[in-house]
Amino acid sequence: MDPQFVTGLQDLLQRLASATDTESIKSATNTLNQQYYSNPICVPALLAIAKDHQQWQIRQLAAVEMRKRIPAFWGELGDETQQQIRDTVLQMILSEAKDLARHSLARVISSIAELDIPNQRWGELIQFLYQCCQSTTAAHREIGVYVLDSLFETIADTLTEHMQHLFELFAGLINDPESIVVQVTTMEALGKIAEFIEPEERAAIQAFQALVPAMVGVLQKCLEKQDEDSASRCFEVFSSMLLLETPLINRHFGELVEFSTNVASNEDLEDDLRNLALNFLLCAAT
């Protein structure tokens, strides 16, 4: 890979990130599109920047731009280059310290998986994520479940083939002893897997229903911490399940309504948190 290409690309990303006026943004974007993003080697070049740049904002921006280019150029990269990218991005996501940059790398992984997995490639990815989710390091568990959650947006059909294994995995993660991030992200992943459970799949329905009390427990923790963002995401999961044909929360519907009523009427909580509970009750009533 041409070092000058990487340097030029990096300089433009820095210009773009620091631009404060529309003309500068437009100029940098046009140059990127014309001179760099028309060439397949922009993918490994962006990976190099996402890996090595000292500023996390530039690392994140490079990962965001890399994800956008993968659908167009992945097939034009050689097998050796593809494998190097797969191996490198998995190493990077474990070592990246900043959440936003990690999340952007997760989207890169998801974008590659969308192209690879249906073609029976990158078979080691799922095993890697399982190992992350079972790691003794909380940050690795956060990475594992976040990437799994993002994969439901691209290769859901493949993941649902492992439904029982996922339920076993999520049963541990929803009760993570250290990280509320793991717990909330697991809730969101469960919300996505719920969309693929058919009404006749009794074993899957029972496995999901068994996790609902733990899901309520996660929401309760978010409320106790006054964590409005996480509580909102948890309520969103429950609200989305009200719209599904499959009766995943029917067994616990009464308890959920009672819980939400108690939250909505609890004057010790912030108004925004109480409003989240009211919104769920409104959804439940319609």
Side-chain angles (χ1 to χ4, degrees):
M1 185 166 52
D2 182 359
Q4 289 186 332
F5 186 94
V6 177
T7 300
L9 177 55
Q10 180 174 280
D11 289 345
L12 279 165
L13 290 178
Q14 289 177 305
R15 278 177 50 194
L16 185 62
S18 60
T20 57
D21 61 277
T22 304
E23 193 57 40
S24 297
I25 294 171
K26 184 177 178 180
S27 173
T29 301
N30 286 341
T31 305
L32 283 167
N33 288 335
Q34 293 169 10
Q35 299 183 18
Y36 291 90
Y37 293 158
S38 58
N39 190 328
I41 67 168
C42 72
V43 174
L46 287 164
L47 182 71
I49 297 167
K51 178 177 180 289
D52 295 327
H53 202 281
Q54 292 184 346
Q55 297 178 25
W56 71 264
Q57 295 92 338
I58 303 299
R59 296 199 302 274
Q60 182 199 11
L61 178 58
V64 168
E65 293 299 323
M66 180 181 173
R67 179 193 61 78
K68 294 177 184 177
R69 313 304 150 195
I70 285 170
F73 294 129
W74 187 247
E76 297 185 37
L77 301 174
D79 289 346
E80 184 178 348
T81 300
Q82 287 183 351
Q83 190 57 48
Q84 288 174 346
I85 291 172
R86 294 185 194 103
D87 294 342
T88 302
V89 76
L90 294 185
Q91 295 168 6
M92 287 167 58
I93 200 168
L94 291 179
S95 60
E96 175 57 61
K98 293 295 183 179
D99 286 346
L100 290 176
R102 272 206 309 264
H103 291 173
S104 296
L105 288 172
R107 299 296 178 186
V108 169
I109 292 170
S110 182
S111 183
I112 296 172
E114 184 176 15
L115 300 172
D116 273 1
I117 299 295
N119 293 311
Q120 286 74 53
R121 308 187 73 179
W122 212 5
E124 64 270 24
L125 173 62
I126 302 301
Q127 186 58 41
F128 168 84
L129 297 176
Y130 278 14
Q131 290 172 353
C132 286
C133 289
Q134 296 168 332
S135 170
T136 56
T137 303
H140 291 180
R141 296 195 299 276
E142 291 174 7
I143 291 165
V145 71
Y146 186 88
V147 177
L148 277 174
D149 179 56
S150 69
L151 288 178
F152 274 105
E153 300 170 9
T154 56
I155 57 164
D157 290 344
T158 299
L159 289 180
T160 52
E161 294 174 5
H162 307 276
M163 189 90 73
Q164 190 55 45
H165 292 300
L166 286 172
F167 280 132
E168 293 170 3
L169 186 68
F170 290 161
L173 294 171
I174 198 72
N175 293 295
D176 192 276
E178 295 179 75
S179 173
I180 191 67
V181 173
V182 169
Q183 294 176 324
V184 173
T185 309
T186 302
M187 273 200 69
E188 293 182 307
L190 284 166
K192 289 175 182 171
I193 203 173
E195 299 175 15
F196 298 93
I197 300 175
E198 299 295 336
E200 64 273 12
E201 295 178 310
R202 297 199 175 194
I205 292 172
Q206 290 175 353
F208 192 100
Q209 289 175 335
L211 297 177
V212 172
M215 295 169 71
V216 175
V218 174
L219 174 54
Q220 179 66 51
K221 288 179 186 177
C222 295
L223 292 169
E224 290 171 356
K225 291 174 177 287
Q226 300 278 313
D227 184 347
E228 182 183 344
D229 177 67
S230 295
S232 176
R233 289 155 60 191
C234 293
F235 268 122
E236 260 186 52
V237 171
F238 284 127
S239 295
S240 68
M241 287 191 287
L242 292 171
L243 306 175
L244 299 177
E245 181 182 355
T246 306
L248 296 175
I249 58 174
N250 288 22
R251 180 189 295 179
H252 303 282
F253 183 74
E255 293 96 318
L256 278 167
V257 169
E258 181 180 1
F259 173 83
S260 299
T261 301
N262 290 337
V263 171
S265 60
N266 186 346
E267 296 183 357
D268 292 332
L269 293 173
E270 295 288 338
D271 287 346
D272 288 342
L273 293 173
R274 295 170 66 191
N275 286 336
L276 291 172
L278 283 171
N279 288 336
F280 173 79
L281 291 170
L282 287 172
C283 291
T286 57

